[in-house]
Amino acid sequence: MAKTNSTAVAAALTNNQIKRTVDRLAALKAQIANLETEADNLVDLLKYQGKGVYFGNAHKFMVTTVTGKRLDSALAQSFLTPAQLLKCMKTTSTTSGRLYAL
């Protein structure tokens, strides 16, 4: 059975298919951006109510504060040699695509 939502299925696109795909992606990204803005505004409104659990008809929203610790890399560099810093670093690789307006 073929995968219907796989990029491997659509690996070879014609120029017109590429244009339609890029334009469709741009339209979806615009819709997503609008929805994310609206969602962020709703989250801010609920966070403004203070810490606690807020219930809707089918969902709940929790407002909490978490305090964490992170490494201050600038300070670490003042204590460690470049070789020691290199030993502490991990190398990762990510492939991404970015959409630009024309």
Side-chain angles (χ1 to χ4, degrees), residues 11-82:
L13 299 174
T14 66
N15 283 339
N16 284 337
Q17 289 172 321
I18 289 171
K19 288 178 184 178
R20 284 194 303 270
T21 300
V22 169
D23 290 341
R24 177 69 179 140
L25 177 60
L28 289 172
K29 291 281 192 176
Q31 289 176 355
I32 290 167
N34 290 336
L35 291 171
E36 285 178 343
T37 298
E38 183 179 352
D40 289 345
N41 290 338
L42 295 173
V43 166
D44 288 344
L45 182 62
L46 289 166
K47 285 171 30 179
Y48 184 75
Q49 303 309 302
K51 293 179 189 177
V53 180
Y54 304 98
F55 292 91
N57 292 321
H59 300 87
K60 71 179 179 180
F61 185 84
M62 294 175 47
V63 177
T64 60
T65 299
V66 177
T67 303
K69 294 182 183 248
R70 66 175 182 80
L71 179 66
D72 182 340
S73 60
L75 183 60
Q77 289 175 7
S78 70
F79 287 101
L80 301 174
T81 67

